Amino acid sequence: QEGGDKSEDELKSLSQAPAMETLGSPENSPEERLPPEGSRLRATAWRVLMNALLFSLLLASSVLLVYAFRNCGPGACQRQVCWDLRALYLASGNSSVDPCTDFFSFVCGKTNRSSDSFQALAEENKSQLRRILEAQGSWRPGSGEEKAFQFYSSCMDTHTIEASGTGPLKQVIEELGGWRISGNWTSLDFNQTLRLLMSQYGHFPFFRAYLEPHEITSHTPVIQIDPPEFDVPLQQEQEQKVDAQIFREYLKYLNQLGNLLGGDPVKVQEHASLSISITSRLFRFRRPLEKQQAQGKVDQMVTIDQLQEMAPAIDWLSCLQATFTPMSLSPSQPLMVHDLEYLKNMSQLVEELVLTHRDFLQSHMILGLVGTLSPALDSKFQNARRELRQKLRELTEQPPMPARPRWMKCVEETGTFFEPTLAALFVQEAFGPRTQSAAMKLFMAIKNALITHLRSLPWMNEETREKAQNKVTQLQVEMGAPEWALKPEPTRQEYNDIQLGPSFLQSFLSCVRALQARTVQSFLQPFPNHRWKVSPWAVSAYYSVPDHVVVFPAGLLQPPFFHPGYPRAVNFGAVGSIMARELSQVFYELLLPEDCPDCSPRALQRELLCLEHHYASFQSPDRSFFNGSRRFLENAADVGALTIALQAYRESLLRHYGETILPSLELSPQQIFFQSYAQVMCSRPSSQDSNHTHSPAPLRVHGPVSSTSMFAQHFSCPRGALLNPASRCQIW
């Protein structure tokens, strides 16, 4: 209570104190209850301020929402490589063409280059090698790097080569015993001359002999014997009139060679004519591949002893031993012979000529050698050979070959002879760890997409599907370069067996001999890994059946096909589809019903027929849609490559945030994917080889893109358009 009384006293005291007037007080009049004028102004200003602030907040929110909506999509890649790629796409594409009816022209319509996309990339890689070889650097005296740079420099020194004239070449001819064309000839034993040509000069006038990995055990070498490569482009079914014109041009060329070497014009004409006769007879000895296949005699394994009995004019053991030193050969050494009947007939011809026209046989071999050595001779010999090739291309209705600059020839020769050194330097320059890591991640994404995709193929039963998935899982990959070239330091290859100078021809021949010995030695050394078939700067990927490994050289993993800074759509569309295509070759045998007994035959046959009809709906420049089972397999691989690469790209979008696009190109990421796929195929129709197993470039684009509904969806193609058919196949 005491507390309550105190509260009442406090309330009384508060009521007696000067009171604060309140608006709701009943004692105040209406006028007294109004706020003063300043208070009303402040209240109005406050309301205006609050409204303005609210409006500003709403406006800012709207701007932020618009900005967010505009930027929630992919941003533009602003790296220089992306701008360069954009420029390439704009330079090659023709945006006036409807992509739904002619996507090839939409992407490649302005391509005026004489080469295709792969050739353009190969030339760019050679330019990269040129920059390396022409860069100023200090190398350890006698090192492989120094010799490679010296060889390239001497190749480019045309003034010294021209000043040497025919002297170095005449010296070579004298070492071989000379020839009657010049009046000085020492009749050496035929097999002695042949042995020198094969082992010291890398020239094989009557047959080719080289080492190859064994078909089954790839780490075991086998000596392969093939018919020779002829300078004249003869065909078995060619018209006699065309043959006569070809031989006329070739005779003119051989006469030029003899005259350049100071021969008597009458003797030159006589010896050149008989040389052509020898070439013609050798060519007729060759049997068409179809005939060999029908007889089951394409490649036959024989021993040196057995071949000696069947083709006795050649001292096989002596010639092969000299060529493949330091291999130790014996009469029981097995050989793989391609076209044994040719070798038998060739031997009879040689025996005949040794008895009746040994001097003409000598001239035939030397004239062939001059052609082989032409890259190392002066401009007169090179011009004569270039004119011959251009004329022969005209006669065989092939497009003319563009003139190649001197530096490109020198880069190629240096790369051939000093590949280990240049490989290491190229990889250091063009295939760093970031590029290697990005390429490997791309491959793994493609590989995983293929394994997943195999589950949805209707023509595979469970047993076949499991085998196929295991095969992909066990597949090995080699990326960029062989292991030795990926080391931090350039390979310390000394090349002690190469002696440069005093003339470029002598340097060239020293490199020929060293390369041959190095090749043989590499086959004799233990080689646990896959032996590469291409240089690291090459642009050709491949699948090795014996080693079950796919190879993607560093030269392929370059702009405009690949770069770590590109939008993922570019890399998946270009190199990703190339990777998927090589993987699809693992299953070539499954696509032929007779080779896949565990497949569902009815479902597979239905899809095969569907694909054939699908491709037949397009007009092909050569009017050939399949051209046998090989072209069919290539068409199926093209479809599979795009399907797998597209699936891998779509899966990458789900796993990774932040896709980009090319700047100022108005293409979505998915459209860029298809654009990059087609860009790889860009080429002029005239560059298509009619005998090539691939379909023409437009068909290689239209066939696959029309096989997926995603293309039509992202380019808004109307139903029934050429590239948006009513139904699609599911071979892949």
Side-chain angles (χ1 to χ4, degrees), residues 9 20 85 112 219 369 383 466 505 520 575:
D9 293 337
M20 292 182 65
L85 187 64
N112 295 319
H219 305 305
L369 174 64
N383 290 338
E466 184 178 353
L505 176 59
V520 175
V575 165

Side-chain angles (χ1 to χ4, degrees), residues 186-246:
T186 302
S187 180
L188 298 180
D189 175 73
F190 164 77
N191 274 291
Q192 182 181 350
T193 304
L194 181 61
R195 186 164 57 248
L196 286 172
L197 287 171
M198 292 171 59
S199 63
Q200 300 299 304
Y201 300 100
H203 179 56
F204 299 82
F206 302 105
F207 56 87
R208 287 191 303 145
Y210 55 96
L211 286 178
E212 276 282 284
H214 196 279
E215 287 183 341
I216 301 175
T217 55
S218 60
H219 305 305
T220 302
V222 61
I223 297 176
Q224 179 84 32
I225 310 292
D226 292 349
E229 294 179 337
F230 296 100
D231 272 346
V232 287
L234 300 174
Q235 300 293 333
Q236 298 286 351
E237 68 281 357
Q238 205 157 255
E239 296 180 10
Q240 291 185 354
K241 181 180 178 181
V242 176
D243 278 351
Q245 292 175 316
I246 289 174

Side-chain angles (χ1 to χ4, degrees), residues 169 526 549 660:
L169 180 56
V549 60
T660 57

Side-chain angles (χ1 to χ4, degrees), residues 236-493:
Q236 298 286 351
E237 68 281 357
Q238 205 157 255
E239 296 180 10
Q240 291 185 354
K241 181 180 178 181
V242 176
D243 278 351
Q245 292 175 316
I246 289 174
F247 281 128
R248 193 177 301 118
E249 291 298 327
Y250 192 54
L251 177 61
K252 179 181 176 182
Y253 166 70
L254 295 182
N255 277 324
Q256 278 185 283
L257 298 187
N259 294 329
L260 288 173
L261 287 165
D264 175 77
V266 176
K267 289 183 179 179
V268 168
Q269 177 77 17
E270 184 182 12
H271 284 244
S273 297
L274 191 58
S275 177
I276 287 179
S277 175
I278 294 171
T279 299
S280 178
R281 292 181 66 181
L282 289 174
F283 179 80
R284 288 200 300 270
F285 293 154
R286 296 179 58 181
R287 293 182 303 156
L289 180 61
E290 296 78 10
K291 187 174 181 180
Q292 295 180 58
Q293 291 173 335
Q295 297 175 351
K297 296 181 179 180
V298 177
D299 287 305
Q300 296 173 263
M301 189 71 77
V302 299
T303 65
I304 290 180
D305 244 357
Q306 291 170 333
L307 187 57
Q308 190 65 56
E309 291 182 9
M310 291 182 279
I314 309 298
D315 187 347
W316 292 101
L317 180 58
S318 173
C319 290
L320 295 177
Q321 182 64 79
T323 302
F324 297 109
T325 300
M327 283 182 70
S328 179
L329 304 182
S330 68
S332 60
Q333 174 75 33
L335 308 172
M336 184 64 73
V337 175
H338 182 82
D339 199 348
L340 185 57
E341 290 302 315
Y342 166 85
L343 295 180
K344 293 177 180 178
N345 291 323
M346 175 273 298
S347 176
Q348 292 178 5
L349 175 60
V350 169
E351 284 182 324
E352 172 190 325
L353 293 171
V354 167
L355 293 174
T356 59
H357 296 95
R358 176 178 274 180
D359 55 342
F360 289 96
L361 191 62
Q362 175 82 354
S363 296
H364 172 75
M365 292 190 287
I366 289 179
L367 287 169
L369 174 64
V370 174
T372 299
L373 299 181
S374 62
L377 303 179
D378 64 41
S379 59
K380 294 185 292 294
F381 289 92
Q382 295 190 38
N383 290 338
R385 192 162 185 83
R386 182 166 54 251
E387 290 172 7
L388 170 67
R389 287 179 174 173
Q390 295 288 24
K391 193 63 181 178
L392 294 181
R393 291 183 73 87
E394 286 180 25
L395 292 174
T396 53
E397 299 181 348
Q398 297 182 63
M401 292 289 290
R404 299 169 69 244
R406 176 74 184 182
W407 69 262
M408 189 174 291
K409 300 175 185 177
C410 293
V411 163
E412 290 171 354
E413 297 296 345
T414 309
T416 297
F417 297 134
F418 298 90
E419 180 180 341
T421 295
L422 257 63
L425 294 173
F426 180 81
V427 167
Q428 283 186 337
E429 186 82 15
F431 196 67
R434 180 168 172 246
T435 303
Q436 182 183 6
S437 175
M440 187 60 74
K441 288 179 180 177
L442 175 61
F443 173 77
M444 293 307 299
I446 297 294
K447 182 178 177 180
N448 292 335
L450 174 58
I451 293 175
T452 302
H453 186 72
L454 290 174
R455 301 172 190 157
S456 63
L457 296 181
W459 51 271
M460 278 191 180
N461 58 24
E462 287 304 318
E463 184 179 357
T464 305
R465 185 174 292 109
E466 184 178 353
K467 289 180 181 178
Q469 289 175 332
N470 290 338
K471 202 168 185 179
V472 177
T473 302
Q474 296 165 8
L475 181 69
Q476 300 298 311
V477 60
E478 296 197 14
M479 194 78 67
E483 186 177 350
W484 51 263
L486 294 173
K487 295 177 182 178
E489 293 296 324
T491 302
R492 292 299 178 186
Q493 176 69 43

